[in-house]
Amino acid sequence: DPIELTISWWGGDSRHEAYQKALEAFHEKYPNITVSPTYGAWSGWEEKQSTALAADQGSDVMQVNWNWLYQYSPTGEKFVDLREYSDVIDLSQWSDTAKNACIVADSLQAVPISMTGRIFYWNMNTFKQAGIEAVPTSYDDLIAAGKAFQEKLGDDFYPLAIGQYDRMILMTFYLESKYGKAWVENNECQYSEEEIVDGLNFIKSLEDNHVIPTRPTMIAAGFDSIDKSQEWIDGKYAGIFEWDSAATKYSSALDDDNKDGFTVGEEIKFGDYNGGFSKVSMGLAITKTCEHVAEAATLIQFLLNEEKGASIMGSECGIPASKAGLAAAQAAGAVKDLVAEANAKVMAFTTNKLDPLFENNDLKASGTGIYQEVFDNIDYGDETPEEAVNGLLDGMESVGYTIA
């Protein structure tokens, strides 16, 4: 019998093209199934989808942002538990870490298309000019690099540059590495005021030791994002702490004298534990209003696990989280090497999950977010870390965190 399915996704032109080609290939394999797509750019997309979900008019298969599962289906009311279709979707292709991130209300509400996390990237050409041959792998290495850069290259050269949201991520990375517990569990912050002050002082120590430029220094340089700054382009800022998916963006921004120095670094342990987190960058889910769930599951299996579909999708939605999907995409030459290297290092190192409130807009927004306010207050000398911690905890509480 003829069956009709719908699918929706957001993205840019190259992603739209990959999905459409993959849907054509799916129709060739299953001529009785017709799939009608809806797609667009990210801007305004979430608002449209949340309205559709509220009216029970979401597409059968939805590309979802990870926090949508918590926001729109907190009791499992909107999306199907895909474990019930494990005879159709080969769930063994995903790591437990990846799958567990999509379990909300004891229901596997999506499968991850890709996972992402943070890692260090270095411009080793500048490091070598400062007399350093190896990538930093410890806190002491960072401090030594700050000193060498300042003494040998001058005050304008820094081994690392990070924005205010990056400072927050790096601070939690440090705390998890030192204290061995996740930043947040079940929406409750696991750290005492004293421990958080230690984290804020850690970031301050990077500034005080010329490892990273202060916020006023970066504002004086006058740029929006580090990859667009002359300091990054010409090698004065010789490191960043970014998503694994950003490798190509930063390497391609470097000028000709620096391009060959771009290196994917190692994750740094600041204590006895592995810090940092991975997160699902996006997933595929089936809505509970779908009338042909087994066929919808067949479509997900085709796109993410089967050779034909996965080789067409490539890394258009990030490095495939499915083992079979990644192998197919790599065999087809559809995966960027730098991104693959960075992603492999992140996934091998991180054990913590990102909590769903960490990226709340009231916290992370550029210019207005709590994270920026906290680090700005310290950077501009308005507050000490001991004072600034209260603003951070109040801000976290205001978006739904429990503060012990």
Side-chain angles (χ1 to χ4, degrees):
D1 288 354
I3 284 170
E4 299 200 358
L5 290 175
T6 55
I7 185 173
S8 59
W9 70 83
W10 72 87
D13 291 343
S14 58
R15 184 180 298 169
H16 300 334
E17 202 177 308
Y19 263 113
Q20 285 169 309
K21 277 188 182 158
L23 292 178
E24 283 169 25
F26 179 77
H27 187 60
E28 278 171 28
K29 183 173 179 182
Y30 301 100
N32 65 314
I33 306 176
T34 307
V35 185
S36 306
T38 307
Y39 53 91
W42 170 250
S43 181
W45 188 258
E46 181 171 354
E47 291 75 6
K48 279 185 202 143
Q49 298 312 306
S50 62
T51 305
L53 283 169
D56 285 333
Q57 291 171 345
S59 301
D60 296 325
V61 177
M62 274 181 118
Q63 178 183 293
V64 294
N65 228 0
W66 168 73
N67 60 343
W68 292 8
L69 306 179
Y70 291 87
Q71 212 162 339
Y72 306 119
S73 188
T75 59
E77 67 269 37
K78 293 297 179 189
F79 301 114
V80 169
D81 185 348
L82 297 178
R83 289 175 299 198
E84 293 170 12
Y85 293 87
S86 58
D87 56 331
V88 181
I89 303 173
D90 179 4
L91 297 175
S92 70
Q93 296 301 334
W94 285 273
S95 71
D96 287 344
T97 307
K99 279 185 295 216
N100 290 347
C102 292
I103 294 178
V104 177
D106 194 29
S107 170
L108 182 64
Q109 298 198 40
V111 283
I113 301 176
S114 53
M115 302 285 290
T116 187
R118 290 273 177 143
I119 194 163
F120 295 93
Y121 299 103
W122 308 106
N123 176 346
M124 290 312 291
N125 289 6
T126 308
F127 271 80
K128 284 171 184 166
Q129 288 164 27
I132 300 168
E133 294 292 326
V135 301
T137 57
S138 68
Y139 177 72
D140 291 345
D141 287 351
L142 291 176
I143 300 300
K147 190 170 186 231
F149 270 59
Q150 193 168 21
E151 287 173 0
K152 295 190 176 157
L153 303 176
D155 286 344
D156 295 342
F157 285 78
Y158 291 88
L160 182 63
I162 55 175
Q164 298 303 65
Y165 180 46
D166 309 327
R167 278 168 164 75
M168 183 65 196
I169 296 175
L170 186 56
M171 183 186 87
T172 57
F173 199 107
Y174 162 82
L175 289 172
E176 290 171 346
S177 188
K178 181 172 176 178
Y179 294 99
K181 53 187 177 180
W183 172 240
V184 165
E185 293 271 3
N186 301 319
N187 287 353
E188 185 175 337
C189 184
Q190 300 298 298
Y191 285 79
S192 66
E193 275 188 38
E194 200 179 324
E195 289 166 338
I196 297 170
V197 169
D198 176 25
L200 294 170
N201 278 319
F202 158 74
I203 296 293
K204 195 168 184 310
S205 76
L206 298 180
E207 295 177 345
D208 295 344
N209 288 285
H210 202 81
V211 179
I212 59 175
T214 63
R215 172 98 170 136
T217 304
M218 289 174 79
I219 286 176
F223 57 85
D224 284 335
S225 59
I226 294 169
D227 61 302
K228 303 239 178 5
S229 72
Q230 204 50 50
E231 288 78 3
W232 171 258
I233 293 165
D234 62 22
K236 282 196 176 78
Y237 293 169
I240 42 157
F241 179 62
E242 256 294 355
W243 301 113
D244 54 28
S245 51
T248 339
K249 178 169 86 170
Y250 282 91
S251 62
S252 59
L254 291 168
D255 66 20
D256 292 343
D257 293 338
N258 286 287
K259 264 197 178 43
D260 63 342
F262 187 83
T263 304
V264 178
E266 300 299 329
E267 299 282 24
I268 295 177
K269 283 181 95 152
F270 297 103
D272 294 334
Y273 306 93
N274 289 9
F277 54 74
S278 60
K279 69 163 189 163
V280 174
S281 47
M282 60 190 76
L284 285 181
I286 300 174
T287 53
K288 284 200 166 169
T289 47
C290 174
E291 290 175 12
H292 305 285
V293 181
E295 287 78 8
T298 303
L299 176 58
I300 292 177
Q301 169 71 8
F302 181 83
L303 292 172
L304 303 186
N305 282 339
E306 286 184 22
E307 190 179 345
K308 185 73 180 170
S311 63
I312 296 171
M313 293 301 289
S315 55
E316 279 304 331
C317 299
I319 298 291
S322 151
K323 293 188 274 285
L326 177 58
Q330 282 174 321
V335 172
K336 294 183 172 79
D337 292 342
L338 273 178
V339 181
E341 182 189 349
N343 182 264
K345 285 181 174 178
V346 168
M347 291 306 142
F349 184 84
T350 55
T351 53
N352 295 313
K353 291 194 306 188
L354 181 64
D355 74 88
L357 292 173
F358 192 89
E359 298 188 294
N360 184 291
N361 213 40
D362 292 344
L363 296 177
K364 75 172 256 198
S366 182
T368 57
I370 300 291
Y371 299 149
Q372 179 165 329
E373 192 181 308
V374 167
F375 289 108
D376 277 1
N377 285 345
I378 295 171
D379 268 9
Y380 284 97
D382 298 334
E383 289 187 328
T384 63
E386 286 76 11
E387 293 162 339
V389 68
N390 296 316
L392 177 59
L393 291 173
D394 289 348
M396 289 174 64
E397 202 163 18
S398 74
V399 302
Y401 282 114
T402 306
I403 307 300

